[in-house]
Amino acid sequence: MSWGRMKSTGAKAFLDSGIFITARVFRASNSMICLSAADKQIFIPVVSYKTLGEVVEWTKRHYDKDTSGYMRYRILILPGLEMVPRRRIISLLGRYEPLVTDKADLPHVCAYFASNSDYFVTTNRKLTQMEVREKVNFKSPREFVEDVLGVEGLDTPNGV
Amino acid sequence: MSVTAVRFVRKDLEEMEWLVRKGYYSNKSDLIKTAVRNLIRETIDRELNRRIPRKEITERGVNELNEEIRSLKRDVLGKNEIHRS
């Protein structure tokens, strides 16, 4: 996709680990478009140390240590990337715990609040149906591409 | 440095100044940082494309991957003892 001289939207978007994995596994996905827009500085990408850990772990399980190193740097090289550290997440765990059914998602939700992100982009539909949805601006990759970036998304299962 | 090399360097410098003047980059430092970042990104992408071949997207493939990611999240959560309970 060519972005031409598209200006930054100034939006801050928290990217879930599924975005990075989906973009790498499938040939054409909205997750890929999201990352391409982040490369072009059209929005400010936000990830937590937990996201990084999950992506690295996934790559290690399926490939090898070197490949997981490349995946790590691929995330870290995103221009203007904001990384939410552990200490900022820990302090919010108690506040949002009752609203998140699956505790594995809790650190990500806390990272979204800690970073004051405008959007939470995720491929995880179950997360978007939890009680916390009223406080979090969840977007599927397709919704993010169309509603925020203003470009036509791809017709993919669950908008990934 | 040969005369030809000097010509090339001068041409590159002029091009850099032109790009900054036109507003494509805020200054020369920004231009160089972007160029280096792009170079690293291209190298990493080339390497990842070779190591992780992409496949066609299917409903089943997406569902399986999502389930796998959920399970991975639980494993990573257990590993790093972030959750207090």
Side-chain angles (χ1 to χ4, degrees):
Chain A
M1 169 169 280
S2 171
W3 296 96
R5 292 199 63 200
M6 192 171 164
K7 290 261 186 262
S8 167
T9 58
K12 244 170 124 173
F14 180 85
L15 303 175
D16 202 3
S17 42
I19 303 295
F20 297 98
I21 297 173
T22 305
R24 193 44 68 184
V25 169
F26 297 117
R27 197 156 286 148
S29 64
N30 292 298
S31 302
M32 253 175 105
I33 301 176
C34 290
L35 295 185
S36 167
D39 281 331
K40 298 288 174 199
Q41 305 187 46
I42 292 168
F43 69 94
I44 302 163
V46 181
V47 298
S48 73
Y49 81 99
K50 207 77 186 153
T51 314
L52 203 61
E54 287 166 3
V55 175
V56 166
E57 181 64 28
W58 177 84
T59 324
K60 260 190 213 165
R61 282 185 188 184
H62 291 275
Y63 301 93
D64 53 45
K65 211 176 162 190
D66 288 350
T67 311
S68 70
Y70 281 114
M71 278 293 266
R72 176 193 288 268
Y73 286 113
R74 186 63 185 85
I75 296 175
L76 293 177
I77 204 168
L78 286 173
L81 177 76
E82 186 178 325
M83 176 76 75
V84 186
R86 188 173 184 271
R87 62 182 162 75
R88 283 174 67 195
I89 293 173
I90 295 272
S91 60
L92 296 174
L93 287 176
R95 195 191 299 178
Y96 296 105
E97 199 172 8
L99 306 175
V100 183
T101 320
D102 192 338
K103 300 304 169 215
D105 292 319
L106 184 59
H108 299 282
V109 170
C110 293
Y112 164 85
F113 286 111
S115 60
N116 285 319
S117 292
D118 302 305
Y119 305 97
F120 188 122
V121 191
T122 181
T123 55
N124 182 355
R125 280 186 73 201
K126 284 184 186 159
L127 175 60
T128 63
Q129 289 156 2
M130 291 178 198
E131 209 181 326
V132 77
R133 70 180 182 275
E134 285 163 21
K135 294 178 186 288
V136 179
N137 194 0
F138 284 118
K139 294 274 179 200
S140 71
R142 186 174 186 176
E143 286 168 343
F144 184 73
V145 164
E146 294 187 339
D147 304 347
V148 182
L149 304 178
V151 294
E152 199 179 335
L154 300 171
D155 187 17
T156 57
N158 300 338
V160 304
Chain B
M1 199 183 274
S2 71
V3 177
T4 317
V6 169
R7 266 192 210 136
F8 272 119
V9 171
R10 192 175 293 161
K11 194 169 174 288
D12 283 347
L13 288 173
E14 280 169 7
E15 210 164 293
M16 280 170 69
E17 273 159 19
W18 182 84
L19 287 165
V20 171
R21 216 169 37 243
K22 284 282 177 185
Y24 288 99
Y25 300 90
S26 43
N27 51 47
K28 282 187 199 170
S29 162
D30 176 36
L31 188 156
I32 291 165
K33 271 188 210 159
T34 308
V36 171
R37 191 190 289 124
N38 288 347
L39 192 66
I40 296 171
R41 195 184 66 215
E42 278 168 24
T43 309
I44 294 176
D45 276 343
R46 197 166 45 242
E47 198 58 42
L48 283 173
N49 288 342
R50 194 175 64 79
R51 288 163 182 259
I52 311 177
R54 286 194 172 96
K55 52 188 180 188
E56 292 302 328
I57 197 161
T58 61
E59 181 109 37
R60 189 176 165 195
V62 168
N63 289 339
E64 280 175 3
L65 185 66
N66 279 345
E67 271 313 307
E68 191 191 325
I69 293 169
R70 293 190 67 74
S71 151
L72 171 90
K73 280 188 177 187
R74 286 185 205 116
D75 293 350
V76 173
L77 185 80
K79 255 187 191 177
N80 295 343
E81 80 332 298
I82 185 164
H83 189 50
R84 298 168 305 153
S85 58

